Amino acid sequence: MSRYVLGVSALYHESAAVLLRDGVVVAASSEERFSRQKQDSALPVRASRWCLEQAGISMADVEAVVYYEKPLRKFERILVSQLTGFPSTLPAFQRTALTWLTDKLWVRNALCKELGARPSQLMFSEHHLSHAASAFYCSPFERAAVLTVDGVGEWATTSLWQGDEHGLKPLSEVRFPHSLGLTYSAFTAFLGFRVNNGEYKVMGLASYGEPRHVDKVEKVLQGVDGGGFQNDTRYVAWHKSTVRSYSGAFEQLFGAPRQPGTPLDPRQGEGKHYADIAASVQVVLEERLLALAERLHADTGLDALCMAGGVALNVVANRRLLRDGPFAHLYVQPASGDAGGALGAAQWAWHEVLGQPRVDPGLTPGLGRDWPDDRVRTLLDELNVRFDDVADDRIERAADDIAAGKVIGWFQGRCEWGPRALGHRSILADPSRPDMQDRVNKVIKLREPFRPFAPSVTAEAADTYFDVPPGGEGPAEWMTIIGDTREEHREAMPAITHVDGTARLHRVRREVNPRYHALIEAVGARTGRPVVLNTSFNLKGDPIVSSPVHALSTLQSCEMDAVYLGPCRVARGQLPRGGAS
Amino acid sequence: MRFADIRPGPVLVGVSHIVWRLPGRPATKMAEFAHTELGSGHDMLEACELTPRPEMRPLYFLHALDELRHSRMFRERARALAIERSRTQAVLDDSGYLHSHGIRGSDPLFTELGELDFLAFVWLHEQRGAAQFGIYAGLMDEDPASREMFARIEKDERFHIAYSRKELERLAAQGQASAVSAAVWRIRWRRFKQGWLRFSRLIGDTMAKLWLTVIYVVGITPFALIAKLTEREQGGLVPAEVDDRPAAQRALEQL
Ligand SMILES: [Fe+2]
Ligand SMILES: [Fe+2]
Ligand SMILES: [Fe+2]
């Protein structure tokens, strides 16, 4: 009989639920894909329920429900850090005490009441242990060094581990308030972007700047002997405040913060200044990660590195680590943020609490909700949405559309696990058209014009067009590393090549996603290059679409040309008009 | 069963006049509307997916498209009217807004209410929205862009009221009059209860804050001093605390 473990992460960043059957992932989803609330942190009630449905079981069939951290230990950290900030921490104390006393302290009760778990089913992992387990147990390595870096868990903000046949062994850690993730987030806020969401923009902005302010950033964040780092707490406020992440001294150092929502041209004037700051913080982050990697390599003597935690989503730093660091192999768990904690918590319980041997967890890009072809057809009929049934030639039709310069929504198979769209819920276009970046940025995704898009390329052709450091092929399948667009192809693919010549490529293997692979090949047959522009299927501020009605409402809300919803092609003009009109 | 539309009362009109003239308030209000309209849009999309009655699906879908469009319109207006950009942006960026304001729970509204009550909810809720937006449109003499936006939205809300009322009337005519009327009252009662809950939570939070201040000032000072003395300010890598107990035992603890 099969044995099931349910992992749950919630109440801080993005919440998620993951169900393992005999150690293999059967279903995994963030709650946001159900609630449509971007980075929803509420208890993943609907995601959990769906996971069980997907496996055809009930909560009673689950052996363990594993929460991704120790809630009381986290509360202890928050209380202690607020006490040390006495008396300026009164407002923060009021706010945290209220939310914790009314809500977050009662995780055990909530898991029972809202998820329907029994107290005897509950287990609690630790925040960084969950990240580390997700990285190690999903990796192809039998033995590996593991580095987990994020804002903060309970106390740890960075942890070094060794993973082998005996499980995960903690080596050393950096503790709150010293934090690489929180430092990067403080700069994210300073640069006028949303914390926990705009870090990508800082990374994109960095490519436009020169690292002129490294000395100032190093005042905020210094490296220390032995590979670690520390913050000068005079410049930061995250340990004292729930709303501010940097202090007045920080502003004195870097000048006025950028006003959110204002236009930003990183090539000149003020925009350039902010790009220089972004470039500086990026460089310092990379240096600190390299130092940590050196230390971890020295401590373990292993040649493979696994990573997770929000900072592991910094794909630029990941390449630097592989290129300039001591490790020959790299694995980055694709859902490195806190959603991935649900996966790691479940894997830790399966292997280390229940003592089960390692298995291939079967992590594929599509582990979320699926819509059978027939249901899509019926739904469209009932909605009076006209469509072309392209069940037998969807690949050829979609390739025709892309080659003709159209922008299409590609909704096929199960929804993605993790923050990136990997060919199940993607918006696709031809990257060789000069106006494409602007078009998709301005009228479809409605996002900052300086941000480039990612290319999806067939694994066979990846080396022809892109240069990825040795050992980066695996991460490139999950878009967790960047490469260079080869010099001779840069001009031809402006929409997917960043200002510094890099691309966050997505290498697609036939065995992993046959339909998407076939589509890219069909596009290649028409354009001469098996490369498509791939961006997540959603509008700015929305989570990735997970059901057909979300896809249709997205089609209606932006200037996309058509959507391939399973077997149906719906063009923009085929949608019914709005209510009053 | 009468299906009389709600008219804005004098209190609502008066309060709106005052609130709308507070500096910075229009931008915040627009940002809040952007959230509530988005919430309605999601409620309607869920209803569209969940309803067992295929004939309702396209209506819910069109309704959802309207609400999502309204949300975008409010978002844009909020940005245009913002005096303090970062504050308005903070409201717009608050991804937990709908949860923390009790607007959306963990289950879809459609599942929570069932079809009949959901329709009654739509009918009552849309009327309230239309009435409110109607008042605001009248307050926008110096701001033609907002006035025009409210007028356009109000027109959509009329459609939402009309189809939900028609559906309720149809059900009533099919011999379900008392069930329909009961549903309308249940939704009214639900709204009253929620208002009361919000009010008592506000009182509770204020009281709690007061107590927490007392605790902070009186009770915490000695601990704060101890904490300061034993402050874990040390940076750099420190050895991980190794817990030798079996994982099964550690897994049971929350601390
Ligand atoms: Fe984390
Ligand atoms: Fe509306
Ligand atoms: Fe409405």
Side-chain angles (χ1 to χ4, degrees):
Chain A
M1 215 177 72
S2 297
R3 296 170 71 184
Y4 292 93
V5 174
L6 181 71
V8 172
S9 68
L11 304 180
Y12 194 48
H13 292 150
E14 196 179 319
S15 68
V18 174
L19 185 68
L20 302 182
R21 180 199 286 137
D22 298 327
V24 177
V25 183
V26 264
S29 179
S30 299
E31 184 72 358
E32 64 160 29
R33 306 284 157 92
F34 291 88
S35 69
R36 308 306 301 155
Q37 204 59 47
K38 174 105 171 162
Q39 292 179 323
D40 196 343
S41 63
L43 212 64
V45 176
R46 292 163 72 179
S48 307
R49 201 181 294 150
W50 168 80
C51 282
L52 300 179
E53 264 167 36
Q54 186 73 15
I57 59 168
S58 72
M59 193 54 107
D61 302 317
V62 174
E63 201 163 325
V65 176
V66 195
Y67 192 66
Y68 81 129
E69 62 180 14
K70 303 269 191 213
L72 295 184
R73 198 181 298 170
K74 185 178 236 176
F75 186 55
E76 172 208 49
R77 186 255 302 161
I78 291 170
L79 269 186
V80 170
S81 55
Q82 290 187 348
L83 289 180
T84 53
F86 183 88
S88 63
T89 46
L90 174 62
F93 174 78
Q94 287 177 329
R95 211 165 293 133
T96 39
L98 261 182
T99 54
W100 277 85
L101 291 175
T102 52
D103 203 10
K104 297 187 180 180
L105 269 182
W106 316 113
V107 172
R108 179 183 284 276
N109 290 4
L111 288 170
C112 294
K113 205 177 126 211
E114 296 192 42
L115 262 53
R118 291 186 313 274
S120 60
Q121 287 173 302
L122 299 183
M123 291 185 190
F124 297 86
S125 174
E126 291 165 42
H127 193 104
H128 274 248
L129 176 59
S130 297
H131 280 316
S134 77
F136 178 59
Y137 290 115
C138 290
S139 80
F141 314 127
E142 267 172 45
R143 311 183 71 208
V146 183
L147 177 61
T148 55
V149 191
D150 65 3
V152 60
E154 292 91 358
W155 277 100
T157 70
T158 292
S159 307
L160 280 55
W161 310 75
Q162 174 165 332
D164 53 31
E165 58 279 15
H166 307 296
L168 279 159
K169 186 171 95 185
L171 303 172
S172 52
E173 61 188 32
V174 180
R175 295 193 186 130
F176 189 84
H178 311 285
S179 167
L180 287 181
L182 292 174
T183 304
Y184 209 83
S185 294
F187 280 96
T188 301
F190 177 82
L191 294 170
F193 304 117
R194 192 167 147 194
V195 170
N196 296 330
N197 185 42
E199 282 75 4
Y200 258 105
K201 300 178 190 175
V202 175
M203 196 179 67
L205 191 58
S207 310
Y208 286 88
E210 313 294 334
R212 290 177 212 276
H213 306 285
V214 166
D215 53 332
K216 291 187 202 162
V217 177
E218 282 180 340
K219 284 189 175 167
V220 180
L221 178 78
Q222 305 109 31
V224 299
D225 287 347
F229 59 85
Q230 63 183 16
N231 286 105
D232 185 333
T233 49
R234 285 173 302 178
Y235 294 107
V236 303
W238 59 67
H239 54 313
K240 292 181 180 173
S241 166
T242 52
V243 284
R244 277 178 66 79
S245 50
Y246 55 86
S247 69
F250 186 102
E251 283 187 37
Q252 275 170 11
L253 198 57
F254 292 100
R258 181 179 157 261
Q259 288 295 304
T262 48
L264 174 65
D265 179 357
R267 292 172 202 271
Q268 52 189 330
E270 215 182 34
K272 179 80 174 77
H273 164 68
Y274 290 125
D276 289 345
I277 294 179
S280 310
V281 67
Q282 178 68 28
V283 165
V284 173
L285 174 82
E286 290 171 14
E287 295 296 332
R288 297 284 67 82
L289 286 172
L290 276 170
L292 287 164
E294 291 290 350
R295 167 70 184 269
L296 187 52
H297 186 253
D299 286 355
T300 60
L302 297 169
D303 67 347
L305 174 67
C306 303
M307 286 182 76
V311 175
L313 292 171
N314 194 306
V315 290
V316 177
N318 291 350
R319 175 173 72 168
R320 180 93 194 276
L321 270 174
L322 197 53
R323 210 165 53 181
D324 301 344
F327 291 99
H329 308 282
L330 174 69
Y331 176 79
V332 181
Q333 200 272 107
S336 267
D338 281 354
L343 172 62
Q347 288 182 303
W348 169 73
W350 178 251
H351 296 297
E352 300 195 19
V353 181
L354 302 175
Q356 296 303 307
R358 268 189 87 168
V359 284
D360 177 352
L363 209 65
T364 64
L367 294 167
R369 240 197 317 182
D370 189 14
W371 292 78
D373 285 0
D374 282 349
R375 267 188 76 192
V376 176
R377 285 195 191 93
T378 314
L379 179 77
L380 292 181
D381 277 335
E382 290 177 359
L383 289 177
N384 306 322
V385 172
R386 287 173 295 133
F387 62 87
D388 298 343
D389 200 316
V390 293
D392 299 326
D393 61 345
R394 68 187 98 177
I395 286 162
E396 301 305 317
R397 287 285 300 274
D400 284 343
D401 277 346
I402 292 171
K406 291 189 169 141
V407 180
I408 63 160
W410 185 248
F411 183 112
Q412 303 286 330
R414 295 177 72 173
C415 189
E416 281 89 350
W417 163 244
R420 305 276 82 87
L422 297 167
H424 293 266
R425 303 285 185 274
S426 288
I427 292 177
L428 306 175
D430 177 4
S432 61
R433 292 178 181 256
D435 60 331
M436 207 43 105
Q437 179 177 352
D438 255 15
R439 191 174 156 216
V440 182
N441 262 331
K442 282 187 191 146
V443 300
I444 294 168
K445 297 282 291 219
L446 312 172
R447 54 178 220 175
E448 296 77 2
F450 66 83
R451 297 172 64 198
F453 290 99
S456 289
V457 57
T458 56
E460 296 81 0
D463 283 342
T464 311
Y465 297 94
F466 304 98
D467 180 14
V468 179
E473 300 82 7
E477 286 184 31
W478 292 92
M479 272 193 195
T480 52
I481 197 162
I482 55 162
D484 284 320
T485 306
R486 289 195 189 276
E487 200 79 55
E488 62 271 29
H489 294 291
R490 282 184 195 172
E491 226 169 281
M493 298 190 290
I496 51 90
T497 304
H498 206 8
V499 59
D500 55 2
T502 61
R504 194 184 66 202
L505 77 157
H506 170 211
R507 194 171 163 272
V508 185
R509 280 195 297 141
R510 193 190 311 269
E511 311 83 87
V512 174
N513 192 343
R515 186 173 282 160
Y516 190 48
H517 185 274
L519 172 64
I520 303 170
E521 277 196 329
V523 170
R526 287 159 176 79
T527 63
R529 276 179 222 95
V531 184
V532 296
L533 177 160
N534 166 22
T535 181
S536 57
F537 195 158
N538 60 277
L539 302 179
K540 186 183 174 191
D542 287 348
I544 294 180
V545 301
S546 61
S547 86
V549 293
H550 304 142
L552 292 171
S553 77
T554 305
L555 175 65
Q556 196 261 2
S557 309
C558 71
E559 314 252 306
M560 208 168 13
D561 296 297
V563 169
Y564 284 78
L565 266 179
C568 309
R569 179 185 185 276
V570 182
R572 225 171 113 66
Q574 290 176 310
L575 279 177
R577 303 282 298 279
S581 44
Chain B
M1 177 80 210
R2 288 176 307 119
F3 288 94
D5 288 348
I6 299 171
R7 303 215 169 278
V11 180
L12 184 59
V13 177
V15 169
S16 305
H17 269 87
I18 298 165
V19 167
W20 207 259
R21 294 208 152 72
L22 298 173
R25 191 62 195 148
T28 316
K29 204 80 193 140
M30 299 276 189
E32 289 170 359
F33 284 149
H35 282 296
T36 49
E37 296 288 296
L38 181 70
S40 307
H42 292 329
D43 287 339
M44 299 314 302
L45 277 184
E46 281 164 354
C48 169
E49 243 177 73
L50 293 167
T51 179
R53 298 174 52 204
E55 69 277 17
M56 293 310 291
R57 226 180 290 286
L59 290 167
Y60 292 151
F61 184 60
L62 292 177
H63 186 162
L65 294 185
D66 285 346
E67 302 298 357
L68 296 172
R69 191 175 56 248
H70 298 168
S71 174
R72 288 193 300 275
M73 289 158 83
F74 278 121
R75 201 162 254 279
E76 261 169 45
R77 258 345 266 155
R79 288 219 185 87
L81 292 174
I83 299 174
E84 240 183 290
R85 263 177 196 274
S86 51
R87 261 186 65 186
T88 308
Q89 195 63 40
V91 180
L92 286 173
D93 284 349
D94 179 4
S95 63
Y97 186 92
L98 294 175
H99 270 301
S100 59
H101 287 71
I103 297 168
R104 266 163 71 81
S106 46
D107 274 315
L109 187 66
F110 188 88
T111 313
E112 188 197 319
L113 296 179
E115 184 118 40
L116 181 59
D117 286 35
F118 182 78
L119 274 167
F121 173 87
V122 170
W123 179 59
L124 286 170
H125 183 78
E126 293 295 324
Q127 288 182 69
R128 229 163 257 120
Q132 207 173 29
F133 294 156
I135 296 171
Y136 292 151
L139 289 172
M140 300 285 137
D141 288 341
E142 307 99 77
D143 181 1
S146 297
R147 189 177 54 212
E148 197 196 316
M149 180 192 69
F150 274 122
R152 263 168 56 199
I153 291 178
E154 205 201 331
K155 211 170 95 188
D156 292 334
E157 309 297 18
R158 294 282 152 213
F159 159 69
H160 306 155
I161 298 169
Y163 90 79
S164 50
R165 181 170 61 193
K166 205 168 131 200
E167 191 53 28
L168 289 172
E169 282 172 344
R170 203 181 60 77
L171 292 172
Q174 280 176 356
Q176 297 189 51
S178 55
V180 169
S181 146
V184 170
W185 279 110
R186 268 196 303 275
I187 295 300
R188 287 202 169 115
W189 173 239
R190 181 180 180 272
R191 187 182 147 80
F192 172 78
K193 231 171 42 186
Q194 282 183 334
W196 175 249
L197 267 175
R198 261 198 302 276
F199 176 70
S200 37
R201 191 180 306 153
L202 197 77
I203 301 284
D205 282 0
T206 315
M207 291 302 289
K209 271 195 177 161
L210 217 72
W211 276 112
L212 287 168
T213 309
V214 173
I215 292 170
Y216 188 84
V217 175
V218 182
I220 280 178
T221 313
F223 297 105
L225 292 175
I226 296 168
K228 264 196 194 293
L229 291 174
T230 57
E231 205 170 332
R232 287 213 216 186
E233 274 283 308
Q234 189 198 357
L237 282 163
V238 295
E241 284 162 19
V242 181
D243 189 338
D244 285 330
R245 291 172 306 157
Q249 199 177 336
R250 284 185 282 138
L252 301 177
E253 286 172 4
Q254 294 191 64
L255 186 69

